[in-house]
Amino acid sequence: FMLIELPLSSRDLDTAWLTTMDDAKVWALIDFDDGEVKRVEFYDSREDIEEFVDYAIVARQGEPIWPMIEENIFVLVAREGASLDEVIEGFKFKELHEASF
């Protein structure tokens, strides 16, 4: 299984969208296994996540991702405003791009 963290606009999985790190209302930690989401947990800030995270998905290039890189987290970029389903589909089918500095 893999753990994926990403900044979201809300805790409502049906209406939440991917937002910039600065605008995040909540951070989601997704347990992704066998091509599907097994569980989603929410955190008020990224610093509250204590588990080892495999991937982070951010909304755009140029986000402040150095702390993630220092923690050996592989950072991918999806489209800002994408729904959680769109982000997960992009991840599953390897359509997301590696973040650059």
Side-chain angles (χ1 to χ4, degrees):
F1 78 98
M2 288 177 268
L3 292 177
I4 306 167
E5 66 180 16
L6 62 160
L8 293 178
S9 61
S10 81
R11 293 176 186 262
D12 183 341
L13 293 178
D14 293 328
T15 61
W17 67 85
L18 186 66
T19 186
T20 62
M21 293 169 64
D22 287 341
D23 290 341
K25 301 280 189 281
V26 65
W27 281 80
L29 183 65
I30 297 170
D31 182 347
F32 189 79
D33 193 20
D34 278 339
E36 61 183 59
V37 174
K38 298 295 185 185
R39 111 189 116 88
V40 179
E41 293 180 7
F42 295 105
Y43 296 85
D44 291 329
S45 73
R46 186 178 171 273
E47 291 73 29
D48 294 339
I49 300 172
E50 296 180 357
E51 296 176 72
F52 178 79
V53 174
D54 300 289
Y55 289 90
I57 300 175
V58 297
R60 60 170 81 140
Q61 294 286 1
E63 290 274 58
I65 60 172
W66 279 111
M68 298 168 180
I69 301 301
E70 290 173 353
E71 295 168 32
N72 294 317
I73 297 172
F74 196 75
V75 183
L76 300 171
V77 178
R79 179 180 55 80
E80 184 175 355
S83 71
L84 188 59
D85 286 344
E86 290 170 329
V87 173
I88 294 301
E89 288 296 305
F91 180 81
K92 188 184 335 188
F93 295 110
K94 299 183 179 6
E95 297 169 353
L96 305 181
H97 303 288
E98 186 174 351
S100 58
F101 305 102

